[in-house]
């Protein structure tokens, strides 16, 4: 079982107990976060959202806030004496996916809602 989820504008393929680095998220260490924008799920059957799958959420726990390795940005124009050297360290958040929920609940809710509607229509 896995899902493709959009986190902070980027798409990630996530599974249960997976650890990954994403762009900096608001929240403290140990905080629980959930993501609602699920683009695709695979749980025996493939469900593709248009644009998102409803009823499915991905739960995660913030493990740490870190900085990525330094990237050197060097600019030079030859024979002009122009050189600029800058560095950049991206702020990241390490998260652990605790679960993908809503598969069974979504199916049971839709069946439960359909049954009373047909009974009400027949009773009238």
């Amino acid at each position: 079982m896995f899902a493709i989820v959009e986190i902070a504008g980027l798409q990630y393929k996530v599974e249960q107990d997976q650890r990954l680095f994403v762009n900096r998220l608001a929240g403290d260490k140990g905080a629980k976060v959930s993501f609602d924008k699920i683009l695709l799920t695979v749980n025996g059957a493939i469900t593709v959202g248009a644009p998102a799958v409803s009823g499915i959420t991905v739960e995660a726990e913030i493990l740490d806030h870190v900085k990525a390795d330094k990237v050197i940005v060097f600019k030079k124009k030859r024979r002009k004496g122009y050189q600029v050297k800058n560095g950049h360290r991206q702020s990241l958040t390490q998260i652990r996916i605790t679960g993908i929920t809503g598969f069974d609940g979504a199916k049971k809710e839709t069946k439960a809602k359909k049954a009373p509607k047909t009974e009400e229509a027949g009773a009238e």
Side-chain angles (χ1 to χ4, degrees):
M1 170 172 61
F2 70 89
I4 296 179
V5 60
E6 185 172 323
I7 303 172
L10 299 175
Q11 296 174 6
Y12 298 94
K13 178 183 174 184
V14 297
E15 296 178 1
Q16 179 90 18
D17 297 326
Q18 179 183 5
R19 294 174 185 231
L20 66 144
F21 292 96
V22 297
N23 285 334
R24 188 68 168 244
L25 297 175
D28 296 328
K29 228 185 221 188
K32 307 286 184 191
V33 291
S34 64
F35 307 105
D36 297 340
K37 192 152 187 188
I38 312 302
L39 306 175
L40 179 136
T41 59
V42 176
N43 186 22
I46 298 173
T47 306
V48 179
V53 180
S54 61
I56 308 291
T57 58
V58 173
E59 305 292 329
E61 176 186 1
I62 296 176
L63 299 177
D64 199 9
H65 294 293
V66 295
K67 283 193 164 189
D69 294 335
K70 184 177 277 190
V71 177
I72 303 298
V73 181
F74 184 73
K75 299 178 183 180
K76 179 178 180 176
K77 295 189 179 181
R78 62 185 191 159
R79 298 187 301 270
K80 306 297 183 202
Y82 172 77
Q83 291 184 356
V84 174
K85 182 179 178 182
N86 285 321
H88 174 75
R89 291 186 73 187
Q90 185 71 30
S91 297
L92 301 174
T93 300
Q94 184 180 17
I95 62 173
R96 183 174 56 87
I97 305 299
T98 56
I100 303 171
T101 59
F103 286 111
D104 299 328
K107 291 178 186 175
K108 289 179 184 175
E109 289 175 7
T110 55
K111 288 181 183 176
K113 288 181 182 177
K114 287 181 183 177
K117 288 181 184 177
T118 56
E119 291 174 9
E120 289 175 8
E124 292 177 11

